[in-house]
Amino acid sequence: MYPAPARHPTAAGPQPGQLKFTVADTCERIKEEFNFLQQQYHQLKMECEKLAGEKTEVQRHYVMYYEMSYGLNVEMHKQTEIAKRLNAIIAQVLPFLAQEHQQQVATAVERAKQVTISELNAIIGQQQQQGLQQLLQQIHAQQLPHGAHGAHGGPAPGLPLGPHPGLGPGGLLFGGALGAGAPPHSLLKPDLHGREPTDLATKGPSSLPDDRLVRNRTSVSPGQRDKYRTRTPEASDTKRRREDKLSHHESEGEKSDADADPDLVVDVANELGFDAHPGVRGPPLGPNGLGIPGGKPAYSFHMNGDGQLQPVPFPNDALTGPGIPRHARQINTLAHGEVVCAVTISNPTKYVYTGGKGCVKVWDISQPGNNTPVSQLDCLQRDNYIRSVKLLPDARTLIVGGEASNLSIWDLASPTPRIKAELTSTAPACYALAISPDSKVCFSCCSDGNIAVWDLHNQSLIRQFQGHTDGASCIDISSEGTKLWTGGLDNTVRSWDLREGRQLQQHDFNSQIFSLGYCPTSDWLAVGMENSNVEVLHAVKADKYQLHLHESCVLSLKFAACGKWFVSTGKDNLLNAWRTPYGASIFQSKESSSVLSCDISGDDKYIVTGSGDKKATVYEVMY
C-alpha cells in the first residue's frame, strides 16, 4: 500500500565529495570534544566560585555599611540630646546672672554654634601648649632666687594673659554641641550592633583586680553627685594626692569610679558592694524610704500619666525578705580569648556557654578552679561574632545566632557536640534569640527588623512578624508562651500575640532599645536603652518606673526566675541588680570593661557576665 522507503547506498568505497572517518578518528574527535568541554566546565566553575566570593564580600560590605550608618545615626542622636541638655542647663542658670553676664553668655553660645571641629581642635591644642609653657615657667620660677620674678610681682614674660580666644566668661568653653545646628563631634560611640563589638569596650581594662568591687553608699547616681558637690581647693588637693597615690593601680588615661568620687568605696573582700540591707553594710533608708541623705536626687522615679517623674519612696521590705539577695561574690573568671557578646547557663547549673568571634566555648563551673573550656563549638564564620546563644530547657540542644544569615542548631547530647541543622534567613545578621517554653519554636531578631519564627522540629520558617522599621535588637517571651516582646533600634518596644500571629501593643521611647526582659511571675517589662536609662513598665496598666544608675547604654538585661529582682549591664562597666518593679538597688559590681551580656541560672544562685576584655565572670548570689 505504501512505497518501500529508500535506503542509503551501501557502496564499499567513499562517494565523491565525502570524507571517510574511521572508528579511531571518531573516538579521537569525541575525546577532543570531551577535553574541551571539561576545560570549559572548570573555567565556569572557577567563575562561579569567584562570583560566590564576590557575593560574600558584597554582603560583608553591606553589613559594615549598615552598621556604620547605624553608628553615625546613634552618634548624631546623642549629640542632639547633649545639645538639648546643655541648652536646658543654660536656660536655668541664665536668669540668676547679672545683665552684662547674661549678654556675655548669649554671645558665647552664639559663638559656640559656629565653632567647627577644626577650630575646636586648634583651641584644645593651643590650651595644651600654653599649659605646658605655664608649667615650665612655674618650674623655672621655683629655681630662681626670691624676687627674680617680674618687677611688680606679675606673671613672668611669655605667660598668656586674659581669656583664650573662643572661651566664654571665666574661661568657660561652650562646645559646638550647644547649638542645634552644631556639627557632631567625632566621639567614639558604642555600637551595639557594630562590626567590632570591641567598640563597646572603649575604655581600656583597668589594672585593678577583678575582685575589687564598687559599693555605693547612697542612692544618688554617680553622675549626679558632682552636680551637687562643691569642690574647695583643699578638697581638690586631697583628691589630687589620692589620685597620685593610686595612679600605679590604674591604666593610663582612666581612673576608677572609687577614686573619682569619695562616696564610692572599694571593697577588697571579694564581695559585691552596696549590700543595702539595714544592719548589714548598706545605707539605711531615710524616713522617706529613699535612703538619700541631704535631700539629693534619687535614682528611681515613678512616671505618672502626665509623664512627670516623682522619686520613689521604697517600702520597708524593699531589700529584705525571701528571694531577695544580700550581695554576690565573684567565684570564677573564664578567659574566652575574644570579646564575649553572648552567655548562657545550663539548668541545672553545671555548664556556662560563652559566645565570641566564630565559636562558642563550653565551661564546666561545677569544678572549682576549672578555667579551661571542656569543648569549643565552631560556628558561623571565623571572623563573625556570636550575638546570642540559647539552650533548650532539656539542655540537650544549643541554638547560636550572630553576624551571619544562618542559625546553628547544636546537638549537645552526642558524644561530641555537632551541628544537626542550620536555619537560613534572608537577613544578614541575628541579634537575639528566644525559645518557646515547649521547645518547639525559636524566635530570632533580625537586622532587617523582622522577627523570624522557626519550627525546630521541621527546621523550617513558619512566619515573620513585621513591624520594626530598623533592626530588632532584643527579645523575650512570656512564661506561658503566648506573648512575645521585642525591642528595636527604631525606638519602639512591641508585643505580639503568638496564638493569633499579630501585634498587640507598641510602646514608643526617645532612645534606641538595646535590651529587655519580661518578668516570669508578673506583668512587668524592663527595658534597657541607649540613653543609659532602665525603664520598667506594666504590660497592662499605665504604670512605669525609670531608673538612673547606669552612666552609659544598657547592653543586656535579665530577670531572676523568682521575678523579684533583675540585673542589667552596660558600657559603663557596671552590673546592677534591681528590685522589681520600682528599682531599689540591691547590689552593684564594677568590672574592668564594658559588660555586653548576662544570664542568671535557673535556681537564681549564679550570675554570669560577658565583657569587652575577652572574658566571662561568674558570680555566686548570696541570700
Side-chain angles (χ1 to χ4, degrees):
M1 182 175 180
Y2 297 100
R7 297 182 178 274
H8 294 287
T10 58
Q15 298 298 320
Q18 288 184 335
L19 296 177
K20 181 179 180 180
F21 292 103
T22 65
V23 174
D25 293 336
T26 303
C27 291
E28 187 66 27
R29 291 201 53 149
I30 292 174
K31 182 179 179 181
E32 291 176 357
E33 289 292 332
F34 174 76
N35 290 336
F36 175 72
L37 292 174
Q38 193 175 35
Q39 291 178 358
Q40 284 190 325
Y41 166 75
H42 285 297
Q43 289 178 355
L44 291 174
K45 183 179 179 181
M46 292 177 63
E47 289 292 331
C48 289
E49 291 176 351
K50 183 178 178 181
L51 289 174
E54 291 177 352
K55 175 185 175 184
T56 303
E57 187 68 15
V58 168
Q59 288 179 338
R60 190 175 69 85
H61 283 289
Y62 167 76
V63 174
M64 293 177 62
Y65 170 76
Y66 168 80
E67 293 165 347
M68 290 173 61
S69 301
Y70 155 73
L72 180 60
N73 291 336
V74 171
E75 178 63 27
M76 294 177 64
H77 172 74
K78 186 166 185 178
Q79 294 302 322
T80 303
E81 290 297 321
I82 292 175
K84 291 179 180 178
R85 294 177 185 177
L86 290 178
N87 279 328
I89 293 173
I90 292 174
Q92 293 175 358
V93 174
L94 202 60
F96 297 96
L97 301 178
Q99 186 65 34
E100 62 273 14
H101 292 163
Q102 292 185 14
Q103 184 61 36
Q104 291 176 354
V105 171
T107 303
V109 171
E110 291 301 319
R111 164 62 181 146
K113 293 180 181 179
Q114 302 172 3
V115 172
T116 64
I117 292 296
S118 58
E119 292 176 339
L120 188 60
N121 291 334
I123 292 172
I124 294 174
Q126 292 175 6
Q127 286 181 326
Q128 292 175 344
Q129 184 177 4
Q130 291 183 355
L132 180 60
Q133 292 177 353
Q134 186 174 5
L135 178 61
L136 292 175
Q137 291 287 349
Q138 292 175 353
I139 295 175
H140 180 67
Q142 292 175 358
Q143 295 175 347
L144 291 177
H146 182 69
H149 299 286
H152 301 285
L159 289 181
L161 294 173
H164 191 280
L167 297 180
L172 176 63
L173 173 64
F174 290 88
L178 281 175
H185 297 297
S186 57
L187 299 176
L188 184 55
K189 183 70 188 66
D191 186 357
L192 176 62
H193 310 286
R195 182 65 191 164
E196 279 293 330
T198 48
D199 292 346
L200 296 169
T202 54
K203 294 176 67 176
S206 171
S207 58
L208 283 173
D210 292 335
D211 59 347
R212 294 193 176 190
L213 306 171
V214 176
R215 180 171 56 195
N216 192 344
R217 289 180 179 269
T218 72
S219 60
V220 183
S221 64
Q224 293 170 322
R225 293 192 185 95
D226 288 336
K227 184 168 66 174
Y228 290 90
R229 181 185 301 115
T230 57
R231 296 284 190 185
T232 63
E234 293 79 9
S236 300
D237 292 340
T238 302
K239 179 177 180 293
R240 192 178 303 112
R241 287 194 298 270
R242 184 170 64 254
E243 290 173 350
D244 294 338
K245 182 178 179 181
L246 295 178
S247 60
H248 66 282
H249 286 302
E250 298 171 331
S251 58
E252 183 178 354
E254 178 184 0
K255 298 294 182 183
S256 69
D257 283 351
D259 177 37
D261 198 310
D263 287 342
L264 293 176
V265 298
V266 175
D267 183 3
V268 297
N270 198 28
E271 294 181 348
L272 212 61
F274 196 8
D275 182 355
H277 291 277
V280 185
R281 279 197 312 277
L285 297 177
N288 59 351
L290 299 177
I292 311 165
K296 293 182 180 180
Y299 57 82
S300 173
F301 299 89
H302 183 265
M303 183 177 294
N304 59 23
D306 298 330
Q308 297 179 346
L309 298 178
Q310 298 293 333
V312 175
F314 298 145
N316 294 331
D317 62 347
L319 303 174
T320 59
I324 307 300
R326 293 190 298 110
H327 58 91
R329 64 185 185 95
Q330 178 182 326
I331 61 172
N332 208 344
T333 299
L334 311 176
H336 182 95
E338 295 287 352
V339 175
V340 181
C341 302
V343 294
T344 191
I345 310 178
S346 67
N347 186 23
T349 304
K350 179 175 174 63
Y351 296 107
V352 166
Y353 299 80
T354 59
K357 183 186 287 186
C359 74
V360 174
K361 293 185 179 181
V362 186
W363 312 78
D364 185 353
I365 62 170
S366 63
Q367 303 296 328
N370 186 5
N371 296 322
T372 304
V374 296
S375 61
Q376 176 174 318
L377 317 180
D378 294 324
C379 309
L380 311 182
Q381 297 180 9
R382 185 64 191 93
D383 293 332
N384 292 350
Y385 279 93
I386 310 296
R387 292 306 181 101
S388 183
V389 289
K390 288 293 180 183
L391 275 170
L392 266 60
D394 61 3
R396 298 168 60 90
T397 303
L398 181 74
I399 303 181
V400 181
E403 295 177 346
S405 59
N406 60 296
L407 307 179
S408 299
I409 303 179
W410 284 81
D411 181 5
L412 303 179
S414 60
T416 301
R418 63 180 182 86
I419 295 180
K420 64 179 181 180
E422 287 193 340
L423 309 176
T424 303
S425 169
T426 57
C430 166
Y431 292 152
L433 294 169
I435 308 295
S436 63
D438 59 7
S439 303
K440 293 182 179 180
V441 180
C442 173
F443 306 88
S444 61
C445 287
C446 302
S447 55
D448 59 6
N450 293 336
I451 311 299
V453 185
W454 303 92
D455 183 339
L456 292 179
H457 178 71
N458 298 319
Q459 287 95 43
S460 61
L461 181 66
I462 302 175
R463 64 157 58 98
Q464 292 195 82
F465 291 137
Q466 297 179 336
H468 287 289
T469 58
D470 204 342
S473 57
C474 48
I475 189 170
D476 203 2
I477 190 170
S478 62
S479 57
E480 69 277 6
T482 59
K483 187 181 295 185
L484 193 72
W485 293 88
T486 60
L489 306 182
D490 57 356
N491 298 13
T492 68
V493 168
R494 301 167 189 259
S495 64
W496 311 84
D497 188 323
L498 298 181
R499 292 168 297 191
E500 300 181 7
R502 63 183 181 89
Q503 180 175 314
L504 293 175
Q505 295 174 299
Q506 175 177 326
H507 300 271
D508 297 316
F509 296 85
N510 60 0
S511 174
Q512 291 180 318
I513 311 302
F514 281 179
S515 56
L516 62 76
Y518 191 71
C519 181
T521 58
S522 59
D523 291 325
W524 291 104
L525 178 76
V527 180
M529 295 185 286
E530 185 272 338
N531 64 4
S532 80
N533 289 344
V534 174
E535 294 201 4
V536 184
L537 57 148
H538 199 275
V540 181
K541 300 180 294 184
D543 206 0
K544 183 187 292 187
Y545 296 91
Q546 194 174 95
L547 316 178
H548 291 179
L549 275 185
H550 279 288
E551 298 177 1
S552 187
C553 49
V554 184
L555 301 178
S556 69
L557 193 149
K558 178 71 175 181
F559 270 93
C562 68
K564 296 181 179 180
W565 56 282
F566 65 95
V567 297
S568 62
T569 72
K571 186 183 176 294
D572 54 2
N573 308 1
L574 287 179
L575 164 69
N576 279 312
W578 313 86
R579 184 73 158 90
T580 307
Y582 41 78
S585 181
I586 302 173
F587 58 76
Q588 184 181 86
S589 168
K590 181 79 168 182
E591 296 196 9
S592 57
S593 183
S594 299
V595 188
L596 283 68
S597 53
C598 69
D599 194 18
I600 302 175
S601 62
D603 56 8
D604 294 344
K605 292 183 178 180
Y606 297 93
I607 300 171
V608 62
T609 62
S611 58
D613 51 3
K614 304 182 180 182
K615 73 176 190 302
T617 305
V618 182
Y619 299 93
E620 182 181 6
V621 181
M622 312 301 293
Y623 292 91

